[in-house]
Amino acid sequence: MAEASLLAAYRGIVCDLDGVVYRGPAAVEGAVEALNGLPVPVVYATNNASRPPVEVAAHLADLGVRTTADRVVNSSMAGAAELAASAEPGARVLAVGGVGVQEALVSQGFQAVTSAAEPVVAVLQGYGPQVTAADLAEAAYAIQAGARWVATNTDLTLPTDRGIAPGNGSLVHCVSLATGKQPFVVGKPEAPLYLMSSAVLDLDPATVLGVGDRLETDIAGASAAGMDGALVLTGVHGAHAAALAPLPERPRYVIAALADLMQPYAAAQAADGGFRCGAAELRIDGDRLIVAGDGNPVEVIRAGLAAIWSAIDGGLSAEEAARLAGQLPDRA
């Protein structure tokens, strides 16, 4: 009888986008075919507050992914839903960010406004490429006057085709410096975005797998919501970063690409003073990783991560762990 795939234990997936499904306008190799072949429903969850779900769904459709806008959840939606739980319908909310922020507020029955000259009950701050110093000033005025402050996410940077740009977290920090206050954050790595995604699937979070390429957002966010996390090695973080990740950012699974979701998963197991994964055997000898067997790179990575995490939990210093991590293949 064939072994069950990794997905056999789950009823749905919350999937990150950039670095997992696409890089900029182009699809990650093999991602479209893998997603279209999954036997469980998928919700696409993103911290990008500026793009409305219909725009994201259109991008995915252009790449060939079979999905619809109601299966896309962004951090603006999570922020508007958070405000709707306490504010009256029709209330004035200051929208700071791209069109996605305004649309999310309107969908929850709020008046999305751009000035705090008249009182507002709350501020929803998300990223937008056209956000100005005047927009941040309006947010600061509203917050100082007592408005509730919700931020879609606090990613400090934003990768672009020209390099690294300031992200929403940098803009949030500006408002925080002006007001002396901190926002309630709904996006990754906090739980609300993932909980909203599992609600879209109508599934208990414990039955959903979070898939992403960033440890401090995707994996930590899934963990905060009570989901298992799978790190896919096609994006930002590889094995070196995973080896040094704090406990909430350690993925339960590490896969080379999305296609691995449909394959049996060989987990690392303690064996003979080290760890074994598939055909790979690995142990720590002083400051060296000793690898035996003919395991493939992802099996070596899984065994190596298990060994290094075990050593860290047993008191291994960060400096020693970094030396060991550097001996692992970073990608599979």
Side-chain angles (χ1 to χ4, degrees), residues 127 155-158 164-171:
Y127 179 78
D155 297 19
L156 291 173
T157 60
L158 178 71
I164 302 298
N168 194 53
S170 296
L171 304 180

Side-chain angles (χ1 to χ4, degrees), residues 156-177:
L156 291 173
T157 60
L158 178 71
T160 75
D161 57 359
R162 294 179 59 192
I164 302 298
N168 194 53
S170 296
L171 304 180
V172 165
H173 188 57
C174 292
V175 178
S176 180
L177 287 174

Side-chain angles (χ1 to χ4, degrees), residues 113-129:
V113 301
T114 57
S115 170
E118 295 182 33
V120 297
V121 300
V123 175
L124 180 57
Q125 183 176 359
Y127 179 78

Side-chain angles (χ1 to χ4, degrees), residues 22-260:
Y22 51 66
R23 298 187 190 97
V28 171
E29 184 178 358
V32 173
E33 296 79 6
L35 290 166
N36 287 341
L38 293 178
V40 298
V42 181
V43 162
Y44 298 94
T46 175
N47 265 1
N48 188 330
S50 64
R51 296 177 74 193
V54 66
E55 184 178 327
V56 175
H59 182 188
L60 291 171
D62 287 344
L63 297 177
V65 178
R66 292 194 292 269
T67 192
T68 52
D70 61 350
R71 289 300 176 91
V72 177
V73 176
N74 66 29
S75 54
S76 290
M77 296 165 63
E82 171 65 26
L83 290 173
S86 58
E88 293 292 327
R92 290 167 49 86
V93 177
L94 183 70
V96 179
V99 64
V101 178
Q102 297 175 21
E103 288 192 7
L105 288 170
V106 170
S107 73
Q108 291 287 349
F110 293 116
Q111 294 185 59
V113 301
T114 57
S115 170
E118 295 182 33
V120 297
V121 300
V123 175
L124 180 57
Q125 183 176 359
Y127 179 78
Q130 307 303 321
V131 170
T132 67
D135 297 323
L136 301 183
E138 291 298 318
Y141 301 148
I143 293 161
Q144 291 171 70
R148 187 183 180 199
W149 184 19
V150 172
T152 59
N153 65 296
T154 52
D155 297 19
L156 291 173
T157 60
L158 178 71
T160 75
D161 57 359
R162 294 179 59 192
I164 302 298
N168 194 53
S170 296
L171 304 180
V172 165
H173 188 57
C174 292
V175 178
S176 180
L177 287 174
T179 62
K181 298 181 183 298
Q182 295 293 330
F184 181 87
V185 183
V186 295
K188 309 170 189 180
E190 308 303 329
L193 182 63
Y194 280 91
L195 294 176
M196 187 176 200
S197 298
S198 62
V200 168
L201 291 169
D202 195 25
L203 294 173
D204 186 299
T207 68
V208 178
L209 179 65
V211 178
D213 70 312
R214 294 186 71 119
L215 298 162
E216 83 284 2
T217 54
D218 303 321
I219 303 303
S223 177
M227 297 179 188
D228 290 334
L231 176 68
V232 59
L233 300 175
T234 55
V236 172
H237 287 140
H240 298 167
L244 306 178
L247 192 58
E249 297 177 16
R250 292 180 187 174
R252 177 163 182 180
Y253 307 102
V254 177
I255 56 177
L258 286 179
D260 288 355

